[in-house]
Amino acid sequence: MLEDRAAHLNPRQVAQQEPLPGTDPAAPPPPASGPAGTADPGIPAPAAPPDGWPADYPEAYAVVDVETTGLRSDDRIVSAAVFRLDARGAVEDSWYTLVNPQRDPGPVWIHGLTREMLADAPLFPQVAEEFAARLEGRVLVAHNAVFDWMMIAREYARAGLTAPVRHRLCTIALARQLRLPLPNARLTSLAAHFGVAQRRAHDAEDDARVLAEVFRPSLRQAAEAGARLPLLACQPLTEWADAPAAGGSGAGGTRSPGGHGAYQWRTWRPNRRLPPSPYPNPGRYVRGGRLKQGMRVAFSGDTSVDRSLLEDRAVEAGLHVAASVSRYTSLLVTNDPQAPTSKVTRAAAHGTPVLDEAAFLHLMRDVEPADAPPQGDGGAG
């Protein structure tokens, strides 16, 4: 089906946009679909909303999907789609664009977008304003939302801009909260549960359409149950750095002499292995005190400084960056201490101290030296 899409895509087109019904004077009047008399671009109208809709639910949503050159922090967006939904899940309009990543498109066998197809597509800064208009004032909804959000946030940071997103909602988290009987967390499983047909998997436009269709009944179920939506705060990036894209262990690929940064794809998601602290673990951080070399620090959620930079600075200061939280963890750094993540949950269970990013960065200015000299085996605990 990716081949079918390639046959009719026009990479010179900046974006494909479905306007709000009634806004195009040349368009015929939309057919009525219920008391409101509204129509939507290709998605059946939802049933009448339940009485007593939760007053604290968001007023609008932006269902988003982005396809990328890979999963690393230095990877780029190659296509993006947004379906705007109102407070109760009715589709208002949709928007889609290709994006020239200015590098090899990566896993073409997944997203179907070749270098030739993207050659004349707009650069991200050229679509950033329109993209932002679709997100402004809305909760970003995505499947594995942290990935889509971080890719979007990095693209805006590269352009010297800030994405206008304050909260996100992950449909995986919502499905788990609703206890849907799914065999796994894939979008295809969620679509099958709600009887939604997917036409072009890993196509941003079709994935966003499918996601909009499955989100609407999910939202309705949550509203009928009076459930709290799993909203998470989004922290726009104010400081970031692309990882080196060539050479070295774990780089995920090497540059080839094929012109403007041609890329030889080797691995889609290399592990980022950070060295352990050479100092012994001095125990937990004491609130009001100083950080000490050897402390085990874990990070959770969005940060205004790119996560890789925070981790590198912590390692340089002599701290140990932990991938998870255990009883040996000295400190958890998160800007959303109420988020239902595994790290936050484990920190609460173990009584692990929690600090926000600003407090952690302040403490990083004066890290206390370790009591013992560095150990040759990389430290303990």
Side-chain angles (χ1 to χ4, degrees):
M1 287 188 289
L2 291 173
E3 290 77 7
D4 294 339
R5 175 149 184 83
H8 70 266
L9 269 178
N10 178 7
R12 297 178 184 275
Q13 186 175 10
V14 172
Q16 297 173 349
Q17 178 177 335
E18 294 288 345
L20 283 157
T23 58
D24 183 359
S33 58
T38 58
D40 66 68
I43 297 179
D51 294 332
W53 192 268
D56 59 349
Y57 274 26
E59 296 182 357
Y61 304 90
V63 178
V64 175
D65 185 75
V66 297
E67 295 300 318
T68 66
T69 61
L71 302 178
R72 290 163 47 92
S73 62
D74 59 332
D75 277 304
R76 308 296 301 271
I77 291 176
V78 294
S79 64
V82 182
F83 277 69
R84 292 197 289 191
L85 279 58
D86 68 12
R88 302 195 181 191
V91 175
E92 297 174 332
D93 63 3
S94 67
W95 175 83
Y96 170 79
T97 185
L98 297 176
V99 181
N100 186 339
Q102 298 181 286
R103 52 159 287 181
D104 190 279
V108 175
W109 62 92
I110 294 177
H111 53 59
L113 299 174
T114 65
R115 184 192 296 269
E116 292 72 26
M117 294 170 64
L118 299 171
D120 293 331
L123 305 180
F124 188 85
Q126 294 173 309
V127 301
E129 182 177 356
E130 177 64 17
F131 200 175
R134 323 300 295 183
L135 303 174
E136 184 73 43
R138 297 171 182 266
V139 171
L140 185 150
V141 178
H143 202 67
N144 190 19
V146 65
F147 171 75
D148 293 78
W149 160 242
M150 289 309 301
M151 295 303 297
I152 292 168
R154 290 189 183 107
E155 288 287 7
Y156 274 94
R158 289 185 184 97
L161 303 169
T162 300
V165 178
R166 295 297 170 263
H167 293 90
R168 68 174 182 266
L169 188 155
C170 180
T171 47
I172 297 176
L174 181 57
R176 288 172 177 165
Q177 184 165 310
L178 296 174
R179 298 183 179 179
L180 300 181
L182 304 176
N184 51 54
R186 295 177 180 175
L187 179 57
T188 52
S189 297
L190 191 58
H193 175 77
F194 287 109
V196 178
Q198 185 151 31
R199 302 164 188 158
R200 299 181 299 271
H202 300 295
D203 170 273
E205 188 174 28
D206 196 56
D207 279 355
R209 176 193 62 82
V210 171
L211 196 58
E213 290 196 51
V214 301
F215 174 62
R216 296 191 307 151
S218 299
L219 178 64
R220 190 167 303 279
Q221 285 188 28
E224 290 173 345
R228 179 183 177 184
L229 295 179
L231 300 177
L232 291 179
C234 290
Q235 194 80 14
L237 283 175
T238 58
E239 186 178 355
W240 68 283
D242 272 337
S249 175
T254 57
R255 296 284 180 180
S256 72
H260 53 285
Y263 199 76
Q264 296 289 338
W265 198 262
R266 288 185 179 175
T267 179
W268 194 23
R269 190 174 189 178
N271 290 325
R272 175 178 163 82
R273 295 184 179 275
L274 295 171
S277 172
Y279 306 102
N281 186 353
R284 290 183 173 176
Y285 166 76
V286 177
R287 189 170 294 277
R290 297 165 63 189
L291 295 176
K292 192 170 187 177
Q293 289 180 325
M295 282 186 171
R296 294 178 65 92
V297 179
F299 298 94
S300 179
D302 298 344
T303 52
S304 59
V305 176
D306 193 64
R307 178 73 66 83
S308 60
L309 287 180
L310 276 180
E311 292 175 343
D312 289 342
R313 290 175 185 174
V315 170
E316 291 169 1
L319 304 177
H320 178 111
V321 175
S324 60
V325 173
S326 71
R327 61 192 179 95
Y328 299 107
T329 306
S330 307
L331 175 68
L332 174 66
V333 178
T334 179
N335 289 317
D336 197 349
Q338 303 303 319
T341 65
S342 60
K343 290 181 182 178
V344 170
T345 301
R346 290 172 184 168
H350 293 300
T352 305
V354 177
L355 286 180
D356 63 22
E357 178 188 7
F360 177 73
L361 288 173
H362 179 77
L363 291 172
M364 283 280 288
R365 298 175 183 175
D366 184 24
V367 177
E368 184 179 351
D371 294 330
Q375 299 177 357
D377 61 2

